């Protein structure tokens, strides 16, 4: 009875689980796709634009204050803006340019040229005059008279000459440094011009290769989609199995419970029938023996010789049979209805249904093999369609004129660059030589001042000759002679470099920074037709160099700058349906029967229906239970036997005592041999009655529900499997379409902004300004400025050196207290002389 009750309870619980699973799984078609994880984002390596123009920037330097000072000086010298009218006339009709216009614009430089010319003429003339005076012993000779203020004057001259020498030293050091910096920047700067033009040509020539590289990146989504296709069929089968297994397993469990109920009920009905028959036969056998035993016991107890037997006599008289199982309902009709059941093997049936359902993943792999191969073929055809993007891309038609213009500019620039390099070499040699001469002049000054001061400290009498002081004076005069001899060369070098570097700064660099040059080029009519950059660069008509430069600098591509979308609709070529229509259609039309699972065959269904109609639930099991409440014998045989044994001990008559003992043993033997076996049959009958009475009220309902559920699950499995198949294929389609969309969006962005980027053109222009203005023009202008300071400070240097020379030579012995030799010719010398 206990195993049967457990089975029934488990069946009820599984049925409840089945209903819950059915409620949860019924709306399977409305489930959403799994959210795309990080693996759903494609990564494209950026290898299609390797050719770049490295951007150059102005490097901060310790000479920046000097560069700023030079720029402010040039802004004072040339305050005129860009000469638009003059440049237009010079470019379109050079013969119409008048000299007065050039002089008017270059007025600041003309004034500087006049100053340089005056210096070039005046300093050599002053040098010749000095030589003439020196030959007459009137310049740089000896002091004619001793004065008290000579010491103060000499110290003042020494300080002034030292100060001018220090300024010259600082200036010539800056000239050396800036000259070397110009030399160091000129060669790579000039070399950067053809290399930059060549790099730009390579960048433009690389555009078709870059487009092809971008198209070849279709391999990234193609490999990902092929990888997803490899696991699609098994994934679909596993998804169908996972979503339907609760419903299927619950139906199989419920079917297994009904099969168990059938077998268990049949077993208990057979027990019930056999036990009732056995109990009825045992009662018939027990009845005469019990009647005979009652007669004998009653007669014995009624014997007068039996002492105290009257108390037990009533109990012995009631000794008769109790339960009569011949009165219980017969189950023969039910057993006849169930004869031969179960005709089907429910265990094998459930095992086969379970195996068929569990084979859905493998079945999906088999059924979807052909569509997977067709999808791979569609991907191969899609790759050919994507190749048409590269074949029809029109940018090379626009970049070819630019490449030709860059090649022409590269060829034409070579002679000018070689001339500039040669001129720079001459400038560096001349500058180095003249700066070395300035250093030699400074060396003469320092040596002369040192020897002169030392000689004065050793001289005891101002009129005494002292060789060191004389040598110091001669060194100063050598420095003066070198200054007169080479100052005109210095000023010529200063003016030549000033004229070139100043005009580069004020005419080119200043207007390049504020983009006035671009505005001049953009103004119609400023350039001759042969220099029309808009036409040569194939820019759109409403565009100009300034806007193109700004767009390129901000990272725009040639696609946007040239507005190629007017002639080539890239968006039309990048529409996803153009490449995914076949792929999407094939997945949308695919169907496969993956849920045809038989849970219950017809013979099994007939068995259960026969079980429900057998009448097992109509048997009156209450009659069995009522009869089982009655004992086999109304009077307890063990109790009566114990009473007789007690009376035996009380008897004085041995014969009566022996007969009581014999009757007691007979009762015990009847109890042990017959009554106990009937009680065991009653207990066995009770288990079967308990199981059947508990199953009977729900038998038809459970069988009906099981049959309905099994039929419903068998009918719903293909439908649900098809819905899940459509859902999984829809999710897969959307996932793969996202790969196509990602790739096509990346292609569009890359072709517009990166592969056909015009940023290298803007970078090249900026690099040209950095090289010409920041790295060459600034140190170039700082060089002539520093060398010019040296040159102009040579004038006070000459004056101070000549004036100081007299103080290093002995004073003539015509000392007067006041006045000069001419005013006091007869002055009597003092007794003592001052020590100079």
């Amino acid at each position: 009875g206990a195993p049967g009750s457990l089975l029934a309870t488990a069946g009820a619980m599984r049925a409840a689980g089945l209903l819950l699973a059915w409620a949860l799984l019924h709306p399977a078609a409305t489930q959403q796709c799994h959210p795309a994880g990080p693996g759903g984002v494609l990564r494209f390596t950026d290898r299609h634009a390797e050719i770049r123009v490295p951007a150059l920037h102005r490097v901060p330097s310790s000479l920046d204050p000097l560069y700023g000072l030079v720029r402010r000086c040039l802004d004072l010298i040339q305050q005129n803006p860009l000469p638009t009218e003059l440049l237009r006339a010079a470019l379109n009709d050079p013969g119409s340019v008048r000299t007065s216009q050039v002089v008017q614009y270059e007025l600041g430089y003309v004034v500087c040229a006049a100053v340089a010319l005056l210096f070039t003429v005046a300093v050599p003339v002053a040098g010749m005059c000095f030589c003439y005076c020196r030959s007459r012993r009137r310049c740089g000779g000896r002091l004619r008279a001793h004065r008290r203020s000579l010491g103060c004057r000499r110290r003042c001259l020494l300080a002034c000459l030292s100060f001018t020498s220090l300024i010259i030293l600082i200036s010539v050091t800056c000239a050396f440094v800036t000259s070397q910096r110009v030399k160091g920047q000129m060669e790579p700067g000039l070399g950067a011009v053809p290399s930059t033009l060549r790099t730009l040509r390579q960048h433009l020539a690389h555009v078709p290769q870059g487009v092809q590289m971008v198209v070849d990146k279709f391999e990234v989504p193609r490999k990902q989609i092929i990888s997803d296709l490899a696991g699609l069929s098994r994934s679909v089968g596993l998804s169908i199995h996972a979503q339907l297994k609760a419903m299927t397993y619950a139906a199989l469990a419920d079917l297994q419970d009904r099969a168990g109920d059938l077998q268990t009920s049949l077993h208990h009905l057979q027990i019930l029938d056999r036990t009732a028959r056995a109990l009825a036969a045992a009662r018939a056998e027990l009845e005469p023996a019990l009647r005979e035993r009652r007669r004998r016991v009653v007669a014995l107890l009624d014997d007068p010789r039996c002492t105290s037997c009257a108390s037990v006599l009533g109990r012995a008289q009631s000794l008769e049979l109790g339960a009569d199982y011949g009165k219980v309902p017969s189950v023969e009709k039910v057993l006849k209805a169930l004869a031969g059941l179960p005709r089907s093997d429910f265990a094998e049936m459930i095992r086969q249904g379970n195996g068929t359902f569990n084979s859905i993943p493998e079945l999906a792999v088999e059924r979807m093999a052909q569509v997977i191969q067709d999808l791979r073929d569609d991907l191969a055809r899609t790759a050919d369609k994507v190749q048409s993007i590269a074949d029809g891309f029109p940018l090379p038609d626009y970049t070819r004129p630019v490449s030709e213009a860059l090649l022409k500019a590269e060829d034409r620039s070579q002679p000018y660059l070689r001339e500039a390099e040669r001129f720079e070499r001459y400038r560096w040699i001349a500058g180095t030589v003249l700066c070395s001469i300035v250093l030699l002049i400074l060396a003469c000054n320092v040596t002369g001042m040192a020897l002169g001061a030392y000689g004065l400290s050793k001289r005891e009498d101002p009129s005494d000759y002292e060789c060191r002081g004389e040598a110091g004076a001669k060194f100063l005069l050598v420095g003066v002679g070198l200054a007169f001899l080479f100052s005109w060369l210095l000023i010529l070098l200063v003016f030549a470099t000033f004229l070139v570097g100043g005009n580069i700064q004020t005419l080119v660099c200043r207007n390049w920074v504020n983009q006035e040059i671009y505005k001049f080029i953009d103004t119609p009519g400023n350039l001759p037709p042969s220099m029309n950059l808009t036409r040569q660069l194939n820019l759109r008509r409403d565009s100009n160099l300034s806007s193109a430069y700004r767009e390129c600098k901000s990272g725009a591509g040639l696609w946007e700058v040239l507005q190629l979308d007017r002639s080539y609709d890239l968006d039309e070529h990048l529409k996803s349906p153009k490449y995914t229509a076949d792929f999407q259609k094939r997945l949308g039309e695919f169907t496969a029967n993956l849920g045809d699972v038989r849970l219950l065959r017809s013979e099994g269904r007939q068995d259960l229906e026969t079980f429900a109609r057998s009448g097992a639930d109509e048997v009156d099991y209450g009659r069995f239970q009522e009869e089982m409440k009655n004992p086999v014998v109304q009077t307890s045989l063990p109790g009566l036997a114990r009473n007789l044994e007690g009376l035996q001990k009380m008897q004085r008559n041995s014969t009566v005592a022996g007969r009581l003992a014999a009757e007691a043993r007979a009762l015990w033997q009847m109890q042990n041999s017959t009554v106990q076996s009937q009680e065991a049959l009653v207990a066995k009958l009770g288990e079967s009655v308990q199981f059947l009475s508990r199953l009977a009220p729900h038998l038809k309902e459970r069988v009906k529900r099981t049959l309905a559920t099994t039929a419903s699950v068998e009918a719903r499995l293909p439908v649900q499997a098809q819905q899940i198949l459509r859902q999984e294929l829809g999710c897969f389609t959307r996932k793969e379409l996202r790969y196509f969309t990602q790739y096509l969006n990346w292609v569009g962005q890359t072709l517009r902004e990166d592969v056909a980027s015009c940023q290298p053109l803007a970078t090249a222009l900026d690099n040209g300004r950095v090289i010409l203005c920041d790295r060459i023009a600034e140190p170039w202008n700082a060089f002539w400025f520093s060398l010019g300071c040296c040159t102009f400070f040579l004038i006070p240097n000459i004056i101070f050196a000549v004036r100081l020379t007299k103080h290093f030579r002995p004073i003539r012995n015509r000392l007067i207290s006041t006045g000069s030799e001419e005013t006091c010719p007869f002055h009597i010398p003092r007794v003592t002389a001052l020590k100079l």
Side-chain angles (χ1 to χ4, degrees):
S5 62
L6 291 176
L7 284 174
T9 305
M13 294 177 65
R14 286 173 180 171
L18 173 63
L19 293 175
L20 178 60
W22 177 263
L24 292 176
L25 292 173
H26 185 68
T30 62
Q31 290 183 353
Q32 301 297 321
C33 300
H34 299 292
V41 179
L42 298 179
R43 304 294 180 185
F44 301 98
T45 55
D46 186 13
R47 297 190 307 160
H48 47 269
E50 291 115 347
I51 299 178
R52 298 285 188 180
V53 177
L56 302 178
H57 302 282
R58 188 179 187 279
V59 181
S61 170
S62 57
L63 295 175
D64 286 347
L66 177 61
Y67 296 159
L69 177 61
V70 175
R71 284 196 299 270
R72 286 191 290 272
C73 291
L74 288 174
D75 289 341
L76 291 175
I77 293 172
Q78 178 56 282
Q79 301 181 7
N80 296 322
L82 183 70
T84 305
E85 299 295 333
L86 184 60
L87 288 176
R88 181 189 297 115
L91 292 174
N92 291 276
D93 187 11
S96 65
V97 178
R98 296 189 300 273
T99 306
S100 60
Q101 292 177 313
V102 178
V103 170
Q104 182 179 0
Y105 178 74
E106 297 281 348
L107 184 60
Y109 293 99
V110 171
V111 173
C112 293
V115 174
L117 179 62
L118 178 63
F119 188 96
T120 304
V121 174
V123 173
V125 170
M128 290 187 289
C129 294
F130 177 77
C131 292
Y132 177 77
C133 293
R134 186 76 185 92
S135 64
R136 294 287 183 173
R137 298 179 180 272
R138 299 189 62 84
C139 296
R142 295 186 294 174
L143 292 174
R144 295 179 176 273
H146 174 74
R147 294 181 178 84
R148 295 178 180 177
S149 61
L150 288 180
C152 179
R153 185 181 302 175
R154 182 173 63 251
R155 287 189 294 272
C156 182
L157 290 173
L158 276 171
C160 290
L161 185 58
S162 300
F163 178 71
T164 55
S165 298
L166 180 62
I167 293 178
I168 293 172
L169 177 62
I170 295 174
S171 300
V172 77
T173 302
C174 292
F176 262 120
V177 173
T178 53
S179 178
Q180 194 63 31
R181 184 161 295 186
V182 172
K183 182 177 182 297
Q185 294 291 340
M186 184 65 75
E187 183 176 355
L190 296 178
V193 175
S195 66
T196 300
L197 295 175
R198 190 161 48 250
T199 303
L200 289 177
R201 284 195 299 107
Q202 292 173 354
H203 171 73
L204 295 176
H206 192 260
V207 168
Q209 302 175 21
V211 174
Q212 186 60 46
M213 288 182 183
V214 171
V215 171
D216 291 342
K217 287 300 175 184
F218 181 69
E219 190 69 12
V220 174
R222 191 183 73 85
K223 286 183 177 179
Q224 183 62 48
I225 294 172
I226 288 178
S227 175
D228 292 346
L229 284 175
L232 173 62
S233 54
R234 179 163 292 276
S235 175
V236 169
L238 290 175
S239 181
I240 293 174
H241 183 271
Q243 295 188 44
L244 299 182
K245 66 180 181 180
M247 178 175 64
T248 305
Y249 288 165
L252 289 173
D254 194 46
L255 181 60
Q256 186 176 9
D257 290 342
R258 297 293 78 74
D261 289 345
L262 171 59
Q263 293 178 346
T264 307
S265 297
L266 183 59
H267 171 70
H268 284 293
L269 285 170
Q270 291 172 349
I271 292 175
L272 190 67
D273 183 63
R274 289 196 304 267
T275 305
R277 289 176 181 274
L279 287 173
R283 186 177 190 280
E285 293 177 1
L286 180 61
E287 184 176 7
L290 184 63
R291 188 167 52 249
E292 177 62 23
R293 185 61 50 201
R294 181 182 60 186
R295 185 187 64 77
R296 292 173 65 93
V297 171
V298 169
L300 178 61
L301 294 176
D302 203 23
D303 191 340
R305 292 175 296 175
C306 186
T307 305
S308 302
C309 292
S311 61
V312 183
L313 180 59
R315 191 168 189 177
Q317 289 175 346
S318 62
L319 186 63
E320 59 185 19
L321 292 176
D324 184 3
Y325 289 95
K327 300 177 182 180
V328 296
S330 175
V331 293
E332 290 184 5
K333 183 179 178 182
V334 178
L335 289 175
K336 286 181 180 180
L338 298 177
L341 295 185
R343 288 185 291 271
S344 58
D345 189 350
F346 280 95
E348 178 63 20
M349 190 187 310
I350 293 172
R351 187 189 65 79
Q352 289 181 359
N354 193 38
T356 304
F357 177 74
N358 290 335
S359 65
I360 285 179
E362 288 73 18
L363 184 63
V365 173
E366 178 184 347
R367 299 279 177 86
M368 297 182 67
Q370 184 58 45
V371 73
I372 297 297
Q373 183 59 43
D374 293 340
L375 290 172
R376 289 195 179 100
D377 297 338
D378 289 341
L379 280 177
R381 289 189 290 271
T382 303
D384 297 335
K385 294 180 182 179
V386 173
Q387 180 61 38
S388 65
I389 299 176
D391 298 338
F393 202 65
L395 196 58
D397 298 335
Y398 292 84
T399 57
R400 193 177 300 109
V402 181
S403 298
E404 294 173 356
L406 291 173
L407 179 61
K408 188 182 298 184
E410 183 179 350
D411 294 337
R412 291 183 177 180
S413 65
Q414 294 294 340
Y416 298 103
L417 295 177
R418 285 194 292 270
E419 287 297 321
E421 187 175 0
R422 186 168 60 87
F423 177 77
E424 165 57 22
R425 186 163 55 250
Y426 293 156
R427 181 211 63 81
W428 181 80
I429 294 174
T432 302
V433 171
L434 292 177
C435 288
S436 300
I437 292 174
V438 173
L439 288 179
L440 182 59
I441 293 173
L442 290 177
C444 292
N445 286 349
V446 173
T447 305
M449 286 188 291
L451 290 176
Y454 184 70
L456 288 177
S457 66
K458 296 299 181 180
R459 187 188 304 172
E460 296 181 357
D461 190 282
S463 61
D464 291 342
Y465 179 80
E466 216 287 318
C467 62
R468 287 179 288 263
E470 185 65 26
K474 289 180 179 181
F475 270 107
L476 290 177
L477 289 178
V478 169
V480 170
L482 292 174
F484 278 123
L485 186 62
F486 292 100
S487 59
W488 67 278
L489 291 175
L490 285 168
I491 198 64
L492 288 180
L493 179 61
V494 168
F495 180 72
T497 53
F498 158 73
L499 189 62
V500 175
N503 276 291
I504 290 176
Q505 172 62 35
T506 57
L507 187 62
V508 179
C509 295
R510 186 170 63 189
N511 295 292
W512 198 341
V513 172
N514 56 28
Q515 298 189 6
E516 289 294 328
I517 290 180
Y518 298 145
K519 296 178 182 178
F520 174 80
I521 295 174
D522 293 335
T523 303
N526 284 348
L527 296 179
S530 60
M531 299 177 63
N532 190 339
L533 294 180
T534 302
R535 182 166 51 84
Q536 290 185 0
L537 297 179
N538 208 7
L539 298 177
R540 61 180 189 269
R541 292 184 177 181
D542 59 342
S543 180
N544 52 47
L545 188 61
S546 299
S547 61
Y549 168 76
R550 286 192 297 270
E551 291 176 3
C552 292
K553 190 173 180 65
S554 63
L558 290 175
W559 185 272
E560 180 180 352
V561 174
L562 300 177
Q563 288 190 347
L564 297 183
D565 52 350
R566 297 179 178 179
S567 59
Y568 184 81
D569 192 352
L570 183 59
D571 291 332
E572 181 66 28
H573 288 77
L574 295 179
K575 286 185 177 179
S576 180
K578 183 177 180 180
Y579 307 97
T580 61
D582 295 340
F583 188 91
Q584 191 171 2
K585 181 180 179 182
R586 195 175 300 278
L587 280 173
E589 294 177 350
F590 175 75
T591 57
N593 188 5
L594 300 176
D596 190 7
V597 180
R598 294 296 303 275
L599 303 181
L600 181 63
R601 296 190 181 93
S602 59
E603 58 269 21
R605 181 176 297 275
Q606 292 175 2
D607 286 350
L608 292 180
E609 290 175 350
T610 301
F611 177 44
R613 295 194 304 267
S614 64
D617 57 330
E618 298 175 359
V619 177
D620 188 2
Y621 298 104
R623 293 282 303 277
F624 284 91
Q625 293 173 346
E626 290 176 1
E627 202 64 37
M628 286 167 55
K629 294 178 182 178
N630 298 323
V632 177
V633 179
Q634 291 290 351
T635 301
S636 173
L637 295 181
L640 182 58
R642 283 193 290 271
N643 290 335
L644 294 178
E645 290 173 350
L647 290 174
Q648 175 196 355
K649 297 176 183 179
M650 299 170 58
Q651 299 303 317
R652 293 187 292 274
N653 187 322
S654 60
T655 301
V656 174
R659 290 176 63 188
L660 286 173
E663 292 300 328
R665 284 194 299 271
L667 290 174
W668 278 114
Q669 184 179 2
M670 182 179 291
Q671 172 69 27
N672 294 331
S673 61
T674 303
V675 176
Q676 281 187 356
S677 61
Q678 290 188 35
E679 289 178 347
L681 289 176
V682 171
K684 186 176 181 180
L685 179 66
E687 293 179 1
S688 297
V689 170
Q690 183 180 4
F691 173 80
L692 293 171
S693 62
R694 188 167 53 247
L695 176 66
H698 311 288
L699 175 60
K700 289 183 178 180
E701 179 186 351
R702 288 181 181 178
V703 172
K704 182 180 179 181
R705 187 183 66 242
T706 298
L707 294 175
T709 300
T710 305
S712 177
V713 170
E714 287 180 345
R716 292 294 299 175
L717 272 177
V719 178
Q720 292 286 85
Q722 188 64 27
Q723 290 177 352
I724 297 171
L725 173 66
R726 299 270 22 105
Q727 174 191 333
E728 292 296 320
L729 290 182
C731 292
F732 177 81
T733 303
R734 288 190 288 274
K735 178 183 177 183
E736 307 313 312
L737 291 181
R738 282 197 296 270
Y739 290 144
F740 279 105
T741 303
Q742 288 180 46
Y743 170 72
L744 294 175
N745 291 339
W746 175 79
V747 168
Q749 180 181 1
T750 304
L751 291 182
R752 287 186 175 97
E753 301 177 4
D754 203 352
V755 168
S757 174
C758 73
Q759 193 168 22
L761 300 175
T763 304
L765 289 175
D766 292 339
N767 289 353
R769 181 187 58 77
V770 171
I771 292 173
L772 177 63
C773 300
D774 296 339
R775 299 192 177 184
I776 295 178
E778 284 194 343
W780 175 289
N781 290 325
F783 166 73
W784 64 253
F785 184 83
S786 301
L787 196 61
C789 288
C790 294
T791 305
F792 282 103
F793 271 94
L794 284 178
I795 296 176
N797 179 81
I798 292 172
I799 296 173
F800 294 141
V802 171
R803 298 291 299 271
L804 189 58
T805 301
K806 297 182 178 183
H807 291 269
F808 292 157
R809 289 175 172 162
I811 301 176
R812 297 181 181 180
N813 291 326
R814 298 176 61 186
L815 301 176
I816 58 177
S817 58
T818 59
S820 63
E821 184 180 359
E822 290 76 9
T823 57
C824 302
F826 303 106
H827 182 72
I828 301 175
R830 293 182 180 180
V831 178
T832 60
L834 294 174
K835 183 178 180 180
L836 300 178

